[in-house]
């Protein structure tokens, strides 16, 4: 590598800021997490750190000290002083001239942001529309990888249809999850969601939603749904760290039940909120 061009500026290769040589930019070679706080208290920190450690290990990034990550994010969270904050933290394998092959000596880069969680109470009260999209992702969606291109394209296609989330459907016609959320159906007295496989992220909110479901008397069924089953469900929900549990009232061109959030959406949200205090 002799020359680097950043926008219109030509920079000698030896002077280039390593940030431009980040393997996250070249290859999406890294992993990330997001945690949130409720009224100044961080929720499910250890669960997120454990998943982060799992993601790092799954792609062979060694040498990241999780205790140091915890200290950094607590320091940044305190410095930001935001009561309802979301903290995104990312580790890439490091900065190096472009080469697909990675080596063990690469020094991981760490990047973290703290911002206010968007108020989505209107969505939680009124429900959202979602649209389905083919699941174009890779075969290790259990890793919270920086590679979100398929998610970006699906989310953007949904937004163009005025839908708040894209629901991903695999080649067998089964719903995996939302582009940025776990997906659930209430059918009778059951709360149904896809099983934990390499095809979905082991969502932290999913675990708490299932716990909430048990607490409100629903039977948990971990089986994938087809689009047709979802469209006929009594209630549909999405759940994620940044949104909690959100009722879905329109699924593609179908109105879900009577088009209003159902009783379990309210019960599950109330139960879920009780875990966060
Ligand atoms: N996304 N599935 C996918 C593909 C996700 O990106 C997310 C979360 C979830 C829900 O996971 P959790 O409950 O652990 O947040 C499921 C977050 C909000 C994000 O990456 O921005």
């Amino acid at each position: 590598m002799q020359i680097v061009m950043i926008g219109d500026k030509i920079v000698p290769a030896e002077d280039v800021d390593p940030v431009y040589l980040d393997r996250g930019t070249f290859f999406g070679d890294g992993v990330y997490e997001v945690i949130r706080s409720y009224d100044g208290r961080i929720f499910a920190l250890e669960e997120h750190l454990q998943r982060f450690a799992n993601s790092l290990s799954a792609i062979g990034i060694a040498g990241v000290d999780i205790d140091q990550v915890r200290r950094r994010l607590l320091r940044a969270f305190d410095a930001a002083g935001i009561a309802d904050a979301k903290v995104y933290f990312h580790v890439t394998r490091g900065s190096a001239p472009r080469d697909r092959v990675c080596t063990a000596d690469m020094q991981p880069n760490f990047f973290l942001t703290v911002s206010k969680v968007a108020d989505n109470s209107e969505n939680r009260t009124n429900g959202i529309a979602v649209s389905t999209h083919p699941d174009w992702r890779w075969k290790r969606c259990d890793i919270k990888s920086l590679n979100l291109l398929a998610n970006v394209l699906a989310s953007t296609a949904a937004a163009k249809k005025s839908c708040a989330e894209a629901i991903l459907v695999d080649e067998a016609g089964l719903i995996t999850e939302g582009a940025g959320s776990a997906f659930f159906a209430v059918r009778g007295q059951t709360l149904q969601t896809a099983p934990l496989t390499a095809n979905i992220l082991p969502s932290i909110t999913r675990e708490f939603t299932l716990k909430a479901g048990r607490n409100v008397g629903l039977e948990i069924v971990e089986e994938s749904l087809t689009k047709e089953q979802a469209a006929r469900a009594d209630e549909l929900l999405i759940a994620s760290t940044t949104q909690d549990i959100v009722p879905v009232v329109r699924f593609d061109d179908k109105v879900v039940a009577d088009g209003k959030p159902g009783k379990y959406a309210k019960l599950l949200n109330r139960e879920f909120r009780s875990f966060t205090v």
Side-chain angles (χ1 to χ4, degrees), residues 180-230:
S181 59
F183 181 73
F184 302 85
V186 176
R187 304 169 79 203
Q189 293 302 302
T190 66
L191 179 61
Q192 187 169 345
T193 193
L196 288 183
T197 64
N199 296 337
I200 67 167
L201 185 75
S203 151
I204 311 291
T205 324
R206 174 188 184 279
E207 290 309 311
F208 285 102
T209 304
L210 295 181
K211 184 174 166 190
R214 281 183 207 103
N215 289 359
V216 303
L218 288 169
E219 185 197 330
I220 308 304
V221 175
E222 294 183 72
E223 276 171 30
S224 305
L225 292 141
T226 63
K227 281 205 277 191
E228 293 67 31
Q229 287 168 334

Side-chain angles (χ1 to χ4, degrees), residues 12 17 44 47 64 71 79-80 85-86 128 139-141 154 162 181 184 186 196 227 237-238 257 261 269 272 274:
D17 188 321
E47 288 87 339
V64 176
R71 283 196 299 276
K86 54 181 176 182
I128 58 166
K139 293 186 168 67
R140 288 302 308 273
C141 298
S162 302
S181 59
F184 302 85
V186 176
L196 288 183
K227 281 205 277 191
L237 311 158
I238 62 160
N269 248 308
F272 177 78
S274 77

Side-chain angles (χ1 to χ4, degrees), residues 53-98:
N54 295 346
S55 294
L56 286 165
S57 147
I59 68 165
I61 295 184
V64 176
D65 177 356
I66 296 296
D67 290 332
Q68 184 190 45
V69 172
R70 185 190 295 102
R71 283 196 299 276
R72 281 180 176 170
L73 76 87
L74 292 175
R75 184 153 69 89
F77 172 65
D78 281 348
I82 301 171
D84 290 296
K86 54 181 176 182
V87 183
Y88 276 86
F89 49 103
H90 319 72
V91 164
T92 70
R93 200 180 301 274
S95 297
R98 187 182 183 112

Side-chain angles (χ1 to χ4, degrees), residues 5-21:
M5 196 165 190
I6 302 165
D8 275 331
K9 202 167 149 212
I10 288 180
V11 183
E14 62 272 19
D15 294 342
V16 75
D17 188 321
V19 83
Y20 292 109
L21 305 181

Side-chain angles (χ1 to χ4, degrees), residues 120 123-124 127-131 154-167 178-181 238 240 243 246-250:
N120 75 336
N123 283 353
R124 277 188 282 118
I128 58 166
V130 301
S131 62
S155 300
T156 305
K160 280 191 183 144
K161 294 182 213 161
S162 302
C163 290
E165 177 60 308
I167 303 301
S181 59
I238 62 160
S240 79
Q243 303 181 78
V246 181
V248 172
V249 293
R250 196 160 60 78

Side-chain angles (χ1 to χ4, degrees), residues 32-34 48 51 88 137 144 148 151 168 177-182 201-206 239-242:
Y32 77 106
E33 266 302 324
V34 53
H48 284 276
R51 187 173 65 187
Y88 276 86
R137 298 175 304 164
K144 203 161 169 65
L148 290 177
N151 310 58
L168 306 177
E177 59 184 337
S181 59
L201 185 75
S203 151
I204 311 291
T205 324
R206 174 188 184 279
S240 79
T241 296
T242 50

